[in-house]
């Protein structure tokens, strides 16, 4: 949450250019024969990877889908922190996850259970009617802001989360990373981070080994092992939101504790800590301590920080 998506992409693209990488935008890599002279092909084309689908048997690909429909929107109401909001409608609960993503724009993901989605008629609505209805439902939180549906010339569409698992990320000289290799539900907010970690670990394995076969084998084994906890947390988080109506009758403090602890069983003292954190002074103190810790770490790295 320390850098928005657009500046992050600019930084990475500039770094690649500085290293004389031949960066080609809007160029679909459909056929791997285009890279026949490459020692290694790194496939990072997302959860719907065409390359992975073409070699699904070789990768041991398993694909599933979550139950809840969701839609990925934007809004010109800028949220300064990660925000959840749950609204009760006559057809059931509907909620959003929002966070700042670029200058003047926040990401705004709307999710609900299938019965609510159909009951509200969202399964039958076009993009414009969908946006208008969601703006009415979340009017208090949008505070006069509007929702943005169009991105890259196309309106956003309802989806169900794609769960991707591969028994191996390797096939000959092809290696999968990021969502092409594995997906984690967006409610834990780790997709980009895990994709970058894949790239870092892959680079380190190649650096450490003179033999590429050994390097790729270590990357595959190490990556699968390190990903287990994140994928387990993501599965339980997705399941919690798919059954959110089980917790909706709780008061605000207990509901937020259930949501915060959705990744697994919590020790009893965590609930007491959660109740203490409801005190405004305690929260302010923790926030100041966090700011101080970030400042200290930046100083140790020799970076300026504000």
């Amino acid at each position: 949450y320390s850098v928005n998506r657009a500046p992050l992409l600019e930084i990475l693209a500039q770094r690649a250019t500085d290293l004389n990488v031949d960066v080609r935008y809007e160029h679909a890599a459909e056929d791997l024969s285009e890279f026949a002279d490459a020692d290694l092909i790194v496939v990072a084309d997302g959860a719907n990877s065409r390359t992975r689908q073409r070699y699904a048997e070789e990768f041991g690909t398993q694909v599933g889908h979550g139950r809840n429909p969701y839609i990925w929107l934007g809004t010109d109401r800028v949220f300064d922190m990660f925000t959840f909001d749950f609204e009760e409608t006559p057809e059931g609960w509907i909620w959003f996850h929002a966070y700042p993503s670029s200058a003047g724009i926040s990401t705004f993901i709307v999710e609900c259970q299938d019965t609510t989605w159909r009951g509200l008629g969202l399964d039958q609505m076009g993009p414009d009617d969908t946006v208008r209805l969601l703006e009415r439902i979340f009017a208090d939180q949008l505070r006069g802001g509007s929702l943005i549906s169009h991105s890259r010339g196309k309106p956003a569409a309802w989806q169900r989360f794609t769960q991707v698992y591969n028994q191996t990320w390797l096939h000959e000289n092809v290696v999968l990373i990021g969502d092409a290799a594995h997906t984690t539900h967006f409610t834990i907010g780790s997709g980009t981070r895990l994709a970058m970690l894949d790239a870092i670990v892959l680079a380190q394995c190649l650096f450490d080994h003179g033999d590429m076969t050994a390097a790729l084998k270590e990357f595959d084994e190490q990556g699968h092992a390190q990903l287990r906890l994140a994928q387990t947390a993501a599965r339980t988080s997705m399941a919690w939101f798919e059954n959110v109506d089980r917790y909706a009758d709780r008061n605000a403090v207990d509901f937020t504790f259930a949501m915060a602890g959705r990744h697994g069983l919590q020790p009893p003292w965590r609930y007491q800590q959660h109740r203490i954190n409801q005190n405004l002074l305690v929260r302010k103190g923790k926030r100041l301590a966090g700011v101080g810790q970030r400042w200290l770490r930046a100083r140790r790295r020799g970076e300026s920080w504000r």
Side-chain angles (χ1 to χ4, degrees):
Y1 305 116
S2 296
V3 62
N4 291 331
R5 177 65 59 87
L8 174 63
L9 292 176
E10 290 176 4
I11 291 167
L12 295 174
Q14 185 58 53
R15 176 61 174 161
T17 301
D18 292 344
L19 294 173
N20 297 317
V21 174
D22 179 11
V23 180
R24 302 180 188 181
Y25 294 101
E26 299 182 7
H27 176 87
E30 302 286 355
D31 188 354
L32 294 187
S33 63
E34 181 181 351
F35 313 105
D37 61 340
D39 295 316
L40 177 64
I41 302 171
V42 180
V43 176
D45 54 349
N48 297 314
S49 168
R50 293 185 180 182
T51 301
R52 188 199 64 233
Q53 291 172 14
R54 189 173 295 120
Y55 299 101
E57 186 175 343
E58 287 81 359
F59 288 119
T61 303
Q62 300 172 28
V63 177
H65 293 89
R67 297 203 310 265
N68 284 359
Y70 72 93
I71 188 168
W72 207 286
L73 303 169
T75 176
D76 52 14
R77 191 256 151 130
V78 178
F79 291 85
D80 59 3
M81 63 181 67
F82 199 102
T83 302
F84 287 102
D85 180 62
F86 294 79
E87 297 291 340
E88 188 174 16
T89 74
E91 305 299 334
W93 289 90
I94 185 168
W95 55 93
F96 71 76
H97 322 245
Y99 54 89
S101 54
S102 61
I105 299 292
S106 292
T107 294
F108 195 94
I109 309 166
V110 179
E111 183 184 7
C112 60
Q113 293 176 318
D114 186 77
T115 52
T116 304
W117 183 62
R118 296 183 187 278
L120 291 171
L122 289 165
D123 60 324
Q124 302 293 329
M125 289 183 190
D128 293 339
D129 290 337
T130 294
V131 165
R132 282 194 290 268
L133 176 59
L134 295 177
E135 284 176 342
R136 289 199 300 272
I137 292 173
F138 298 116
D140 288 345
Q141 288 295 330
L142 287 172
R143 299 177 188 173
S146 58
L147 294 177
I148 302 166
S149 174
H150 283 71
S151 175
R152 302 175 186 172
K154 295 182 180 180
W158 289 94
Q159 308 173 62
R160 297 177 196 269
F161 183 73
T162 302
Q163 300 180 80
V164 174
Y165 174 79
N166 292 282
Q167 292 178 356
T168 178
W169 300 339
L170 307 176
H171 170 55
E172 297 179 350
N173 68 329
V174 178
V175 59
L176 304 174
I177 67 170
D179 282 354
H182 50 76
T183 56
T184 53
H185 198 255
F186 55 85
T187 52
I188 69 168
S190 293
T192 300
R193 180 177 65 87
L194 291 172
M196 294 180 70
L197 285 172
D198 282 350
I200 292 168
V201 173
L202 175 59
Q204 189 64 47
C205 288
L206 292 168
F207 180 80
D208 290 341
H209 292 273
D211 177 49
M212 190 171 72
T213 301
L216 296 180
K217 185 175 184 294
E218 180 179 334
F219 167 72
D220 193 29
E221 294 174 351
Q222 185 177 333
H224 274 85
Q226 292 181 346
L227 195 66
R228 288 192 186 102
L229 285 177
Q231 287 190 315
T232 299
R235 284 194 296 270
T236 56
S237 180
M238 181 176 70
W240 191 91
F241 282 98
E242 289 177 342
N243 297 281
V244 73
D245 52 333
R246 297 181 183 178
Y247 310 94
D249 60 346
R250 302 185 184 186
N251 61 53
V253 172
D254 289 351
F255 179 83
T256 53
F257 177 73
M259 185 173 68
R262 66 188 182 276
H263 305 118
L265 293 174
Q266 303 294 318
W269 58 265
R270 277 277 170 80
Y271 179 70
Q272 301 304 322
Q273 183 184 59
H274 176 72
R275 291 188 64 86
I276 292 171
N277 287 340
Q278 305 313 304
N279 184 290
L280 183 61
L281 290 176
V282 172
R283 288 206 301 275
K284 284 186 175 180
K286 286 194 168 187
R287 190 174 297 120
L288 287 172
V291 169
Q293 192 174 51
R294 291 177 66 188
W295 176 85
L296 183 60
R297 288 173 177 170
R299 286 291 300 272
R300 286 175 178 170
R301 293 192 299 265
E303 300 173 358
S304 60
W305 189 84
R306 58 180 177 84

